[in-house]
Amino acid sequence: MVVLVAVAMVTQVTGCQRRRASGAGADGVSPVRGMPADQVYGQGLGPRFGMDGRQVEGQFQAVLFGFDSSQIVDTERAKLEDVARHMRRNPNARLIVEGHCDERGSREYNLSLGERRALAARAYLIGLGITGDRIQTRSYGSERPVAFGHHEEAWRQNRRAEFVIVQ
Amino acid sequence: MRYQAIYFITLFGMAFYSMVDTASAQIRIAKPAGEKIGVSLNGLSVEPGPAADLFIATLRDNIERSGWLTVAGSGRADVAVSGSVNQRRNDVRAEIRALGVHNQQNYLRQAYRHPADDVRRLAHQVVDDLVYAVTGHRGIATTRIIFVGQEGRNRELFMMDADGGNFEQWTRDGSVSVRPRWGPTPDKVTYTSYINHFPDVFLIDLRSGNRTAVAEYSGLNSGGVLSPSGNEMAVILSKDGNPELYVKDLKSGRLTRLTHTLQANEASPSWSPDGRHIVYVSDQAGPPHLYIISRQGGPPRRLTTRGNENVAPDWGPNGLIAFASRVGRQYHLVVMDPEGNEVYRFSDRGDASYEDPSWAPNGRHIVLGRRENFRSQIYIIDTLGDPPVRLTPSEGEWLSPAWSPHQP
């Protein structure tokens, strides 16, 4: 219990943007295991879609991120594999990955951080064989929380990537 | 409110007090920091009525907010204002004279006429004319502030006069609006909106009310801000796979990419007053810090090293950069010169944070979001020491203000 309290205090102080967002810091760890960081963030986006067409939200579980990280951690990989399976079975389906942050920190900086989370998830899906042109990104930064409240549990749920299928 | 302001070098304070305007023969009044020039309004003859009453109330209020002047009794005044204010049909007419009490200098002699239903604006103009005539400084009473307000789940743009009056909602998009910024003239504003379902940068022409998308590439478009010439826009784009800083030529549409940091985020650009440099946020060294890069590109120079992180810079018309610096869990307001010397710091002795600062065109006042207990209000901070002033209603969530340039 004492340990839990200490962890909560540390995370409260450090916030969404404490460390290098990519996770590709001094330790050289890429946000997507097995893919160099430069490749994750070196793949340009295709023409925009999703302004119209039928959009389905909430079909997949949100991928969660550590504070100030856009790293896809091992426990979240199965969620992305679900998304990739759907995309393979539905070759006409397209996908918007939405990146979100918790409420702490500069709103404009959080827009960039949320975008890097969405781009990391996109790179992971490309690594699973989904064509990049089928995947757009949309960062909401800290503008669209899913959990309200000003505590670590809410912040944990808000640091996420969501998946919107465009038919 | 408990707060503390720290001045690091006297040069900053002194710069404001070189009061003799060499461009004109007029003798200005100079006072040391902390002392104000007393203005007596006892000689002003006002015909009672709603518009004239509002005029006088706004005049008194704006004199106090100017930073340089204060309303004083006849015995303590340095400047005596006389003349008349009355309403004729739908107009208010004012004849204003301002005379130096000690030097008999004739500072102002001006006749005004303005619609009675807009009489606050007339008072703004008279105060700015008075401030300029007496001190040589351009006033802020006629300037405006644009900002973001929470509307249910959405965030819309709002606008108000620099004294909090003429409060109006500008967008009703049912969408998210992020951090508006003024262009070099007070008729142009850029901001990020999700009205087309993605974060795009829009340019608003406030005279026509027209709004056009100026960055709607795939991925993220944010932080758009016009250059001092108005011909270019610095902007953050992720179309090439990662959020990076670009400059867009608004006539040709040509993009120049300035940063190549595939392992880092960029955000929040702001132009130097001469348009030759851009300050922006990057986390390439770990936490977000401020960097300065040439408009032509090349290697950036890191500006900040202190603080847990430094975000949301605004490069002011005085050449100084205001930004939010996190120390522990609090954000302080910090002002720094482009060489990295900290010249001013404002922090709260309680828990409040100061976010998204924006310089007034006078280079003295700063408008910002003050966040306490996870709620944000808009305040004005005076870097020369007048107490902070709240502008927004106590109910609601108000954030990301931007202070307009002077009216031409």
Side-chain angles (χ1 to χ4, degrees):
Chain A
M1 195 59 211
V2 172
V3 174
L4 280 180
V5 170
V7 168
M9 283 175 64
V10 168
T11 49
Q12 203 163 12
V13 170
T14 50
C16 190
Q17 43 181 243
R18 184 176 61 105
R19 284 177 301 137
R20 178 177 307 233
S22 65
D27 57 0
V29 176
S30 167
V32 180
R33 201 167 65 191
M35 188 184 285
D38 286 3
Q39 191 180 330
V40 174
Y41 293 113
Q43 310 188 46
L45 295 164
R48 191 180 265 183
F49 57 78
M51 320 285 285
D52 46 27
R54 196 163 74 89
Q55 304 197 5
V56 181
E57 296 178 29
Q59 186 174 347
F60 301 99
Q61 277 189 287
V63 168
L64 302 184
F65 293 85
F67 41 79
D68 196 24
S69 170
S70 35
Q71 181 138 21
I72 309 288
V73 298
D74 287 353
T75 50
E76 303 299 303
R77 289 173 172 234
K79 297 174 179 175
L80 284 157
E81 277 149 22
D82 280 349
V83 178
R85 200 172 302 121
H86 178 90
M87 296 294 284
R88 278 193 293 267
R89 286 177 186 166
N90 299 276
N92 292 327
R94 290 172 299 171
L95 181 70
I96 299 171
V97 185
E98 293 183 346
H100 298 266
C101 302
D102 70 33
E103 65 182 336
R104 295 166 294 172
S106 149
R107 275 167 295 277
E108 278 192 331
Y109 177 80
N110 281 343
L111 282 182
S112 292
L113 177 57
E115 181 69 5
R116 276 174 71 82
R117 286 177 175 159
L119 288 164
R122 176 174 181 266
Y124 193 95
L125 293 168
I126 291 172
L128 292 176
I130 310 303
T131 313
D133 281 355
R134 295 173 68 195
I135 312 170
Q136 291 284 310
T137 53
R138 172 162 58 207
S139 176
Y140 275 110
S142 43
E143 305 289 334
R144 283 275 194 249
V146 69
F148 296 90
H150 311 293
H151 46 76
E152 177 50 37
E153 178 50 26
W155 295 331
R156 188 185 68 82
Q157 293 178 47
N158 286 330
R159 294 187 297 261
R160 69 199 193 278
E162 292 190 6
F163 304 93
V164 179
I165 296 290
V166 181
Q167 306 283 14
Chain B
M1 187 194 306
R2 296 170 300 160
Y3 58 90
Q4 55 185 355
I6 302 167
Y7 300 86
F8 285 86
I9 52 172
T10 51
L11 177 69
F12 181 56
M14 296 306 292
F16 292 112
Y17 282 84
S18 53
M19 303 281 269
V20 178
D21 186 346
T22 50
S24 87
Q26 192 150 42
I27 297 162
R28 313 289 190 185
I29 299 179
K31 292 258 181 172
E35 279 184 47
K36 295 187 188 297
I37 298 163
V39 176
S40 162
L41 300 177
N42 293 347
L44 206 51
S45 136
V46 182
E47 183 184 281
D53 292 349
L54 180 57
F55 173 83
I56 289 296
T58 307
L59 189 73
R60 286 177 170 276
D61 172 86
N62 286 187
I63 285 173
E64 299 300 338
R65 289 174 189 264
S66 73
W68 309 110
L69 311 183
T70 188
V71 177
S74 303
R76 308 183 67 174
D78 302 293
V79 175
V81 170
S82 60
S84 62
V85 181
N86 48 56
Q87 185 168 353
R88 290 287 171 273
R89 299 176 187 276
N90 296 326
D91 285 346
V92 169
R93 295 177 189 203
E95 286 191 23
I96 305 291
R97 291 189 297 277
L99 194 69
V101 172
H102 309 298
N103 60 12
Q104 300 302 306
Q105 173 91 31
N106 194 354
Y107 285 111
L108 185 66
R109 189 185 185 94
Q110 184 80 40
Y112 300 86
R113 182 174 167 178
H114 198 74
D117 60 5
D118 189 35
V119 75
R120 299 184 79 266
R121 202 153 285 157
L122 176 60
H124 298 335
Q125 188 62 55
V126 172
V127 171
D128 276 1
D129 289 350
L130 193 59
V131 166
Y132 184 72
V134 172
T135 71
H137 296 285
R138 293 195 64 180
I140 51 170
T142 51
T143 60
R144 304 207 79 199
I145 291 165
I146 191 164
F147 55 102
V148 173
Q150 184 95 25
E151 287 271 295
R153 206 165 163 252
N154 302 311
R155 287 182 165 168
E156 306 282 2
L157 293 185
F158 290 73
M159 222 178 297
M160 61 187 164
D161 294 348
D163 63 358
N166 286 327
F167 192 99
E168 58 180 328
Q169 183 167 351
W170 233 83
T171 62
R172 286 184 171 79
D173 293 337
S175 183
V176 175
S177 309
V178 184
R179 204 176 179 208
R181 269 172 276 202
W182 296 88
T185 52
D187 58 338
K188 296 280 197 299
V189 168
T190 49
Y191 78 115
T192 302
S193 169
Y194 288 74
I195 189 169
N196 290 337
H197 310 291
F198 286 91
D200 294 331
V201 177
F202 287 85
L203 173 65
I204 302 176
D205 183 321
L206 291 172
R207 277 183 301 189
S208 66
N210 288 341
R211 179 168 54 174
T212 47
V214 283
E216 46 179 348
Y217 302 96
S218 299
L220 177 67
N221 305 264
S222 75
V225 57
L226 296 182
S227 65
S229 73
N231 297 328
E232 296 179 322
M233 176 177 70
V235 62
I236 304 296
L237 307 175
S238 73
K239 69 184 189 63
D240 295 321
N242 187 54
E244 304 279 356
L245 172 63
Y246 295 75
V247 170
K248 180 171 185 172
D249 183 310
L250 292 176
K251 287 204 178 78
S252 69
R254 196 170 66 91
L255 282 174
T256 309
R257 179 171 170 178
L258 296 191
T259 61
H260 298 80
T261 54
L262 293 191
Q263 309 206 354
N265 280 307
E266 272 73 43
S268 301
S270 176
W271 294 86
S272 64
D274 64 7
R276 294 171 60 187
H277 293 89
I278 295 168
V279 63
Y280 64 99
V281 173
S282 174
D283 61 5
Q284 59 190 278
H289 274 289
L290 302 188
Y291 292 77
I292 292 176
I293 194 168
S294 163
R295 155 69 188 88
Q296 307 304 326
R301 173 167 62 88
R302 182 168 168 177
L303 180 67
T304 57
T305 50
R306 293 179 63 197
N308 299 92
E309 60 174 66
N310 296 292
V311 291
D314 183 46
W315 204 327
N318 54 9
L320 299 173
I321 298 163
F323 58 94
S325 180
R326 186 165 66 78
V327 178
R329 58 171 88 175
Q330 253 186 325
Y331 286 87
H332 297 182
L333 165 65
V334 172
V335 174
M336 190 172 270
D337 71 23
E339 284 70 51
N341 302 302
E342 185 173 322
V343 294
Y344 178 79
R345 177 177 290 259
F346 188 92
S347 63
D348 198 274
R349 291 183 196 276
D351 287 335
S353 273
Y354 295 95
E355 305 175 337
D356 291 344
S358 171
W359 281 105
N362 67 3
R364 166 176 176 166
H365 296 93
I366 290 173
V367 67
L368 42 64
R370 180 180 187 272
R371 183 172 297 279
E372 190 170 27
N373 298 326
F374 298 99
R375 286 194 50 221
S376 177
Q377 292 283 324
I378 290 172
Y379 277 75
I380 289 176
I381 304 288
D382 175 17
T383 59
L384 291 187
D386 280 0
V389 180
R390 178 164 59 86
L391 290 183
T392 41
S394 55
E395 292 300 309
E397 171 85 354
W398 311 104
L399 37 113
S400 298
W403 207 316
S404 80
H406 286 299
Q407 299 291 333

